[in-house]
Structures are given as structure tokens and as C-alpha cells.
Amino acid sequence: MSLQNDLSLKVIAAVKELYQVELPTVEFQPTRKDFEGDITVVVFPLLRHIKGNPVQIGTQIGDYLQEHVDEVAKCNVVQGFLNVVIEDGYYLDFFNNIKDVKNYGYAEAGSKDAVMVEYSSPNTNKPLHLGHIRNNLLGYSVAEILKASGKKVYKTQIINDRGIHICKSMLAWQQFGDGETPESSGLKGDHLVGKYYVAFDKAYKEQIDGLVADGMAKDQAEKEAPILLEAQEMLRKWEAGDAEVVSLWKKMNAWVYAGFDTTYKNLGVDFDQLYYESDTYLLGRDVVKDGLEKGVFFKKEDGSVWIDLTDEGLDEKIVLRSDGTAVYMTQDIGTAIQRVTDFPDINGMVYTVGNEQDYHFKVLFLILKKLGYTWAEQLYHLSYGMVDLPSGKMKSREGTVVDADDLITNMEETAEAISAELGKLEGYSEEEKHQLYRTIGLGALKYYILKVDPKKRILFNPEESVDFQGNTGPFIQYTYARIQSILRKANFDVSTALDMTFSLHEKEKELLKGIQQFPETVQLAAENFSPALIANYTYDLVKEFNSFYQQVSILGEPDETKKQFRVQLSQKVGEIIQSAFRLLGIDVPERM
């Protein structure tokens, strides 16, 4: 049981004995830095149950705690706040119990039910861009956090490998490509295909302008541009299984998948299961027909099938067109059911998709609940805001996106430039330098994105993210490297058992309180699907360590036991930084 839980029970017991009142809950908060204490009982909420002066009530409860709780050294009351000072021995015992615990803060896998986390889910007509980076980093990190909280997790994506947008790239390559391949061009496959998506849009706009110049209305020209009609015909042939079209589709998609794999590897994300829209786009139609018979859906006069969600504050939503073809909602219904069929232990799914799809997922989750799937209660839309650059928004068709591969390279170059300015890389080989730049650059990128609440929009500034001061990845990585330097310089066995009977320095105590919070933070981050909680916890712990480092002598401490304790304490902080950053997909360097 945690100290706070124990204190809560004792405060409830105190109030029952002193005032004959049963308290439902007790509110705690960290003690303010300007008061003496480690944890504070907020007295004001008790006044709903006890009549009296808050200072007097706090004092009486404090006296009771000092008498009945061994860990309580003393108490003081400031207005309506009971500040409790905890014995040093409690923190030293705590540290002794966890200092050798591997992966401290992570829960043991105990859940029989699994969670599937979907992220990335790109189109195969263009490379990944900055928006995909936030999606991938969020989804991957949430999956790792859920695992650390004790859940079984499957990571997945559904690849949007069919549709008119795919045919646009295919048609442009046929017309303008002259047989160009990734090998002949030196381009990654996804970049090559994206090049022809842009080429299609350019040709399409030129044809529209030509038709308008000949007197056609613009909206009509947009529908009748020859290249668009050809792309639509290509899609019809694909759906009909035309051998030539399907062969081209397979070839160009293979180029894209090879390119995606390189980007994923460079970004440090992975998947357990892949789904393809070409396999899933027909799913869901039988489910809709079954739901129609059960009265979940209704049919309109034109034969289209809908669901009425007006009682839930939404509107009517189509799930099957009048010609019997599926819409995206139908596919998503079928895909969700297919996933549970494929992985019967799934009892929840997390969809990492931008906030422009908020309404879609409200409807999807409601439909699955109405269809009677119990696991539909455990569906979550990890909705996130867009990522902007100082230069503005991105547009795929115009080729103005911020390419993921280019950004990763740019982050390495930025890290190299800033590291060179700091001039701390003496004795590094060129290979070691390159690896360090990569670690710092990617760490900067990931931390900058993940420290922000997923729902908030981000203005991403690469230079700002690689700052070695403030709430940044490199600042935290530098502190980890500093701790490793301390460990290398320590001239004794760091695992030595110590006689933990000494008094703690205030900074040691604050650091131990921070360490205590890590397991709870992991659980909170899992419950809230929020890597930001892990990122900002790590920053706070690192700030506390740096304050300790500046104010307390570590290797220079003359008392051998205290010196060894401070090195062990530093080592544990380093382990937690590494564990926390692992949940964010960030590496930490041994030297910087």
C-alpha cells in the first residue's frame, strides 16, 4: 500500500474517532515548496462533514497521525492545509526496496484481455509526412505505455492501398514515367510514386484550365477532364480484376511498402499486424444486412441503408449506398469485427487518427455498440491536433508537404550543427558522432511532439526542439549522459548494500519523492492514452536531479556511505529516464 493510501485510511480513522464522522475520501496534494512537509492533507473539503475551525481540525488530525503513524515525523498547519513531514527512514526503506528492481515502474503483464492500437495507416500514393510522424509517434508510444501498465498489446495499421487516389499515381506513371523505377531514379519507392501523384494533379489542373479557356464551366471541367476520367476508368478495371491494372498496382505498391519500411525503421516504430483496405473494403456489408434485419439500420426509398442516431445527439448516417456498395463507415465496422475474429483476446481498440475524424469515430463506436458487441465499450479514438510549421500548412497534391524522411535527416543535421557549436565531442569517431546526432535529432523530434497533449495543435520548430536547455529531449538526454559519467567515475561497486540509517538532505528527499511517482505516472498515462504525462514527468524528475547535482556533492562527499548512496540514487534516476524515454520511443546516449 502506498503512503498516501495509508495516510488516507488513518485520516479517516482520526475523523471517526475525533468527530464520529465517516469520511468518504481524503484530498491530498504535494506540500508547497515554501512550507515544511512532504505531503499535505487539504482540510477545507472536510468542513462539509465537520463543523469547526480548519486550523483546529487540522491540528487535531495532525496530532493523531503523529501518534498512530510511524512514518509521520511531525505536522504543521497553515490555514486549511495540514502539512505532514515523513520520516527519512520511510524514504530510505523505499529506496532500498526498489533500487535493484529491473524496469521499476512497469507493471507485470497481468491482463488476459488485449488492446489493439492502430496508427500510421497511410495511403500508398505518397510518402509519409510530418502529420504521419505525429500519428506514428503517438500510436507507438501509447502502445508501449499500455504494455508497461500491464496490458497485452497488438500494434496494427490499415494501409489505404486502393481507390481513385492510388489510380491517379498509377495513371501518371503510365503516361509520364517512361518506365522509371526506384532503382533507375535513385528515389525511394514511396517518393517516386508521390512524384507521380503530384504530376497527375499538375496535368489535371492544366486540362481544367484548357477546358475553361474553351468555354466550359469550371465545375463541369473538373468532372470531365480527360485524365480524371481515365483514372476513374482505371479504378473500375481494378475493381473488375483487370490483370494489367492489378499487376501495375502490385508493382507500384511494392515500391511504396519498401519506402515505408525504411521510414518506419528510421523512426523506430513497428507493427504486429498489417491490414490492407484492398482486403477489407468489402467487409461490413453482411453485418449491415444482418443489422437491417435486427432493426439497427433502416432502408430508404432509394434502397440505401442508414442508421438513425438523432436520439444520441448525432444525425442519420449512411452505411450502404443504394447500389449496394460500401462507404468508409461500412468498411470500418467490418474491419473492427474482423480484428476481433483474428485476435479473439481483443477487448478494446485505440484508433490513432486526427481530430478531423472525431465525428466518424463517435458514429462508428455507437454503431458497434448497437450491434451488440461488448468490446465496443472499450473503443477509444486517440484524437490529435494537426502539426504546423512556421511556414504554414502542408498540401500533398501540390507537393508542399514536409516529408518525413527529409525531416528526420534535417533533425540529424540540426543536432550536428548545435553539437558542433557546443564542442563536446573530442575523442568521438565519425561513426560515433553520426550515431549521436541521430539519437539527439530523433530524440528532439519525438520529445517535442510527445510532450504536448495529443488534442492540442503543434507548431513544430526544429531548431527550438534541439535546444540543450529547457523542456526538450536533448536536455533530458544530456542529464542521462551526465549520470553515466558519474557512474563511470565512481571507484566502487555501485550495487553494494548500504546501512541506510543516515539523515537525508532535502534534495535527496525530493528526488526520492519524484522516483516514487513513476509507477503511478505510467498507470495514469495508460488510462489517459497520453505520452505527454510521461514526457513531462521525466522533465520534472530531471530538473529535480539537476538541482540535487548542483547543491549536493556526490563523488566529493567525504562520508563513504552517503557518497555510495548518492551514486546509487543517481543510477536509479538514470534508469528511470531510460525507462520513461523507452515508452516514448527515444534512445539515450551514454556520452554527450
Side-chain angles (χ1 to χ4, degrees):
M1 183 181 289
S2 73
L3 176 67
Q4 183 168 306
N5 287 338
D6 192 29
L7 284 177
S8 181
L9 292 176
K10 294 298 185 184
V11 171
I12 289 170
V15 169
K16 186 173 183 180
E17 182 175 316
L18 295 168
Y19 307 105
Q20 292 74 56
V21 170
E22 290 276 0
L23 275 183
T25 58
V26 181
E27 185 180 330
F28 292 92
Q29 66 184 36
T31 305
R32 281 174 47 180
K33 297 283 186 187
D34 44 342
F35 297 129
E36 185 184 21
D38 300 304
I39 190 168
T40 295
V41 180
V42 186
V43 179
F44 291 115
L46 308 187
L47 301 181
R48 290 197 293 267
H49 310 278
I50 309 165
K51 290 183 179 177
N53 181 300
V55 173
Q56 185 180 9
I57 292 169
T59 301
Q60 290 174 330
I61 294 172
D63 291 344
Y64 180 95
L65 293 178
Q66 282 178 254
E67 186 179 342
H68 292 86
V69 184
D70 292 340
E71 292 87 354
V72 174
K74 53 185 174 178
C75 299
N76 66 83
V77 180
V78 179
Q79 297 177 334
F81 299 92
L82 168 61
N83 303 316
V84 181
V85 179
I86 304 300
E87 290 279 5
D88 286 356
Y90 163 77
Y91 289 106
L92 288 166
D93 286 345
F94 156 74
F95 183 71
N96 219 13
N97 289 331
I98 63 100
K99 72 183 179 70
D100 296 322
V101 173
K102 191 178 179 183
N103 290 328
Y104 163 74
Y106 290 14
E108 289 186 20
S111 176
K112 293 180 182 177
D113 293 333
V115 180
M116 181 169 272
V117 182
E118 177 196 291
Y119 54 96
S120 196
S121 302
N123 297 331
T124 58
N125 63 320
K126 55 192 175 186
L128 304 176
H129 56 62
L130 178 55
H132 289 116
I133 283 183
R134 187 176 198 189
N135 182 302
N136 274 273
L137 297 184
L138 273 174
Y140 177 85
S141 181
V142 164
E144 293 300 310
I145 290 166
L146 288 170
K147 275 197 274 187
S149 76
K151 296 269 195 308
K152 183 177 182 181
V153 177
Y154 300 116
K155 303 172 191 169
T156 193
Q157 63 170 323
I158 182 160
I159 299 165
N160 302 302
D161 63 342
R162 62 168 286 277
I164 190 68
H165 49 292
I166 310 299
C167 291
K168 287 176 179 178
S169 293
M170 290 163 58
L171 183 66
W173 182 84
Q174 265 189 340
Q175 294 191 359
F176 316 125
D178 196 25
E180 188 176 27
T181 66
E183 292 75 23
S184 69
S185 65
L187 287 174
K188 275 176 82 235
D190 50 337
H191 287 248
L192 180 64
V193 173
K195 168 184 164 182
Y196 286 102
Y197 185 60
V198 174
F200 177 93
D201 192 60
K202 182 183 176 186
Y204 175 54
K205 286 178 176 173
E206 287 173 356
Q207 288 185 2
I208 292 170
D209 291 343
L211 292 171
V212 170
D214 290 339
M216 186 181 286
K218 187 174 182 183
D219 58 344
Q220 186 181 358
E222 288 171 348
K223 295 174 185 173
E224 296 186 17
I227 198 168
L228 177 64
L229 298 178
E230 289 179 83
Q232 290 169 343
E233 176 60 23
M234 181 177 273
L235 178 59
R236 280 190 287 273
K237 285 183 177 180
W238 180 89
E239 290 177 345
D242 180 276
E244 186 180 339
V245 171
V246 170
S247 175
L248 176 61
W249 170 76
K250 286 181 177 177
K251 177 168 72 173
M252 292 184 70
N253 274 351
W255 294 345
V256 174
Y257 299 147
F260 284 172
D261 286 347
T262 299
T263 307
Y264 291 142
K265 185 179 179 183
N266 288 338
L267 200 54
V269 302
D270 57 11
F271 304 91
D272 301 308
Q273 176 71 23
L274 303 181
Y275 287 89
Y276 299 88
E277 193 182 324
S278 56
D279 294 329
T280 65
Y281 81 107
L282 297 177
L283 294 176
R285 293 192 299 182
D286 291 340
V287 178
V288 169
K289 289 170 185 172
D290 186 47
L292 196 56
E293 291 174 11
K294 293 178 179 176
V296 176
F297 305 113
F298 70 94
K299 189 176 280 190
K300 290 195 174 181
E301 289 180 7
D302 65 355
S304 58
V305 181
W306 297 68
I307 187 166
D308 185 356
L309 298 173
T310 51
D311 287 349
E312 282 81 7
L314 303 176
D315 57 11
E316 293 181 350
K317 182 73 179 177
I318 189 170
V319 292
L320 216 57
R321 296 189 187 96
S322 57
D323 62 2
T325 56
V327 294
Y328 271 112
M329 185 62 70
T330 327
Q331 297 173 39
D332 282 349
I333 293 167
T335 303
I337 296 165
Q338 184 63 49
R339 286 171 173 171
V340 179
T341 303
D342 294 342
F343 299 90
D345 54 349
I346 288 177
N347 189 36
M349 296 184 218
V350 178
Y351 293 83
T352 312
V353 183
N355 56 16
E356 72 277 6
Q357 295 293 329
D358 285 354
Y359 184 81
H360 175 87
F361 284 101
K362 281 181 187 174
V363 173
L364 173 64
F365 298 168
L366 261 175
I367 290 174
L368 289 165
K369 286 176 190 174
K370 286 178 179 290
L371 287 169
Y373 294 104
T374 54
W375 45 261
E377 299 290 337
Q378 309 298 325
L379 300 179
Y380 182 78
H381 175 206
L382 179 53
S383 173
Y384 62 90
M386 294 298 101
V387 185
D388 297 318
L389 287 156
S391 55
K393 291 184 181 179
M394 303 179 291
K395 295 179 182 176
S396 301
R397 285 188 301 274
E398 296 173 11
T400 59
V401 299
V402 178
D403 179 80
D405 298 308
D406 291 344
L407 182 58
I408 291 169
T409 300
N410 176 256
M411 293 304 298
E412 288 182 35
E413 291 170 350
T414 303
E416 179 177 1
I418 292 176
S419 299
E421 282 177 24
L422 295 173
K424 296 181 178 179
L425 301 179
E426 297 87 353
Y428 280 61
S429 69
E430 286 306 311
E431 186 178 338
E432 287 172 329
K433 286 180 183 178
H434 178 73
Q435 184 56 48
L436 181 61
Y437 301 146
R438 186 173 193 78
T439 299
I440 295 171
L442 271 176
L445 170 65
K446 292 180 179 185
Y447 188 84
Y448 196 94
I449 286 175
L450 292 174
K451 74 177 180 180
V452 179
D453 183 284
K455 292 181 176 60
K456 292 183 180 176
R457 199 170 186 129
I458 294 177
L459 181 66
F460 179 69
N461 185 320
E463 286 73 25
E464 190 178 287
S465 73
V466 188
D467 195 334
F468 280 74
Q469 298 296 324
N471 191 3
T472 67
F475 172 70
I476 295 169
Q477 288 172 323
Y478 184 75
T479 301
Y480 176 84
R482 168 180 279 169
I483 290 169
Q484 302 319 299
S485 175
I486 293 168
L487 298 179
R488 285 192 295 271
K489 292 174 183 174
N491 58 352
F492 51 83
D493 182 359
V494 177
S495 63
T496 302
L498 301 176
D499 176 18
M500 300 277 198
T501 54
F502 48 85
S503 296
L504 286 169
H505 187 284
E506 175 195 350
K507 288 298 172 184
E508 293 169 330
K509 201 172 184 181
E510 288 302 315
L511 207 44
L512 286 165
K513 285 193 275 186
I515 289 171
Q516 270 193 324
Q517 293 168 11
F518 186 49
E520 180 187 357
T521 304
V522 171
Q523 294 298 323
L524 275 173
E527 289 166 21
N528 292 280
F529 305 98
S530 178
L533 293 176
I534 297 289
N536 289 293
Y537 161 82
T538 312
Y539 175 57
D540 288 340
L541 182 68
V542 161
K543 279 197 300 182
E544 202 60 64
F545 176 82
N546 283 319
S547 179
F548 158 78
Y549 178 81
Q550 288 158 10
Q551 297 187 43
V552 178
S553 178
I554 300 176
L555 296 176
E557 168 59 47
D559 184 300
E560 193 63 26
T561 301
K562 284 189 176 182
K563 177 170 77 171
Q564 292 189 23
F565 166 69
R566 287 171 184 172
V567 171
Q568 290 181 353
L569 183 59
S570 301
Q571 181 183 45
K572 199 67 195 176
V573 171
E575 289 174 7
I576 292 172
I577 292 171
Q578 187 172 38
S579 292
F581 263 29
R582 190 183 306 132
L583 300 181
L584 304 179
I586 301 175
D587 292 331
V588 283
E590 295 298 307
R591 297 188 298 155
M592 272 176 81

